[in-house]
Amino acid sequence: MRARAITLVALGLVAVAGMAPATDAPLTASAAGAVRQGGPATYPAGSRLSALALAARVEPDAYLAGAAWLRPSLKEAQLRLKAGVVFELGVVRMDAISKGDEALGLAAAAFQSWMSSLPVTGRRTSVALDPDQLEVSPPDNWPLQDGDALFYPRRPSQVRIVGAVEKPCRVPQVGMQDARRYLASCPPSAAADPDMIFVIQPDGSVFPQNIAAWNRDKPRVVAPGAWIYVPFDRKRIAASTDGHFNDDAAAFISTQLLDERGAP
C-alpha cells in the first residue's frame, strides 16, 4: 500500500499532494525554458498556475505537451520512490547472480546505475499547462505554492527507450507509429518481460501496453519526447520485488523533464 501511495504522488494523481495550509504571505514562483520572461517572481497569496504561466510569456515554439510543473513538496515522496526502485534493482541483481541468471543480473545492474543518475524533480504529472487553457480550466488551474516552477521545453524529435533493453536508445519519433514498433530499433534484452511495455507520454501520463500476440492491445501512438519503458520479466523478478517494481520504475521515469532543446 505504501509503495502504491508513493507512485500516485509521483504521477500527480493525489489531489491533496503537496498542498500546504492557506496563508496570506506572498510567494515566489519561477518559469524557465522557452519563455520570454523567465526567472523567479513574487505573487500574491492565492495566485494560481495561470498567473505564473501568463507572466512567463511562453514562446510560440514551446512544446506545451512536454511542459512541466515542479513542486518542491513532491520531492520527498519521489526521492523515496527512486530509492525503493534502486534498492529493489540491487536485490534483483543479487538474486539473479545467486541463481546463475547472468542476463537478468547484468540488465538489473545497468538499469540500477542509470536510474541512480536521474534527478528528483518534484514534477506533478498529467497536468495541461497551456497558459490560455489554464485560465478557462479550473480543475487544472491549481493554487500556486511557494517554490513552484514551470518549465517549457521546445519540441523534440525523438523517443527514448529504456529499461530491460540491450542498451538505452534514442530513436526518431514516427507519426502514427505504434509504440511496440519502436522496439525493432532498440531490442529488448533477455531480461525483458515479453508481454508488455509502458508508454510514458511527454506530459508524464503512463500507459501499460500489452504487446504479445496473445494479449495485444490496440496500437498506441507516442508523442515526440515520450519514453518507452521496457519492463523486467515479472516472473523472474517476483521473488525479489514487491510485485509493483515495474509500475514504480515507470512512475519515476514519468517525473523526468525534456531539456530546454526538447531532448528527453
Side-chain angles (χ1 to χ4, degrees):
M1 181 64 70
R2 178 173 175 272
R4 296 294 84 230
I6 291 173
T7 298
L8 291 174
V9 170
L11 287 170
L13 298 178
V14 178
V16 296
M19 297 300 291
T23 174
D24 292 331
L27 53 87
T28 300
S30 62
V35 298
R36 295 189 180 97
Q37 191 66 44
T42 302
Y43 295 86
S47 296
R48 293 184 173 268
L49 275 176
S50 59
L52 175 56
L54 290 168
R57 300 175 59 206
V58 177
E59 295 180 0
D61 64 344
Y63 185 51
L64 298 179
W69 170 21
L70 312 180
R71 171 153 282 186
S73 59
L74 293 180
K75 285 188 174 183
E76 183 178 351
Q78 291 177 10
L79 180 61
R80 293 198 299 270
L81 178 62
K82 175 184 176 179
V85 171
V86 170
F87 174 79
E88 287 194 294
L89 281 164
V91 177
V92 169
R93 179 174 62 84
M94 295 303 296
D95 188 52
I97 291 173
S98 71
K99 295 176 179 176
D101 191 341
E102 182 179 7
L104 179 58
L106 290 173
F111 191 55
Q112 182 183 41
S113 176
W114 180 82
M115 181 68 72
S116 297
S117 72
L118 298 181
V120 175
T121 65
R123 183 185 190 184
R124 185 181 176 88
T125 60
S126 307
V127 178
L129 295 171
D130 182 323
D132 295 326
Q133 183 177 337
L134 284 171
E135 278 202 300
V136 298
S137 179
D140 289 331
N141 198 13
W142 287 69
L144 281 177
Q145 199 175 99
D146 194 60
D148 278 357
L150 292 179
F151 175 71
Y152 291 92
R154 288 179 169 80
R155 184 181 177 86
S157 60
Q158 296 179 318
V159 170
R160 191 164 180 179
I161 307 170
V162 298
V165 292
E166 293 182 0
K167 171 170 83 167
C169 306
R170 298 174 189 262
V171 299
Q173 188 266 350
V174 179
M176 304 307 294
Q177 177 168 282
D178 183 16
R180 69 185 180 88
R181 298 287 184 188
Y182 288 92
L183 301 184
S185 301
C186 191
S189 73
D193 193 304
D195 297 333
M196 70 175 299
I197 56 176
F198 288 82
V199 175
I200 305 166
Q201 297 289 20
D203 70 348
S205 301
V206 179
F207 302 94
Q209 181 180 356
N210 294 316
I211 61 171
W214 64 272
N215 71 343
R216 186 168 299 165
D217 287 331
K218 293 180 179 179
R220 181 174 294 280
V221 175
V222 300
W227 299 75
I228 296 173
Y229 168 60
V230 178
F232 286 76
D233 191 322
R234 288 165 292 178
K235 294 178 181 177
R236 288 161 68 188
I237 67 173
S240 47
T241 65
D242 67 358
H244 301 295
F245 168 79
N246 285 314
D247 302 84
D248 290 344
F252 187 73
I253 293 168
S254 77
T255 66
Q256 300 303 295
L257 313 183
L258 298 173
D259 69 22
E260 189 168 344
R261 296 164 299 171

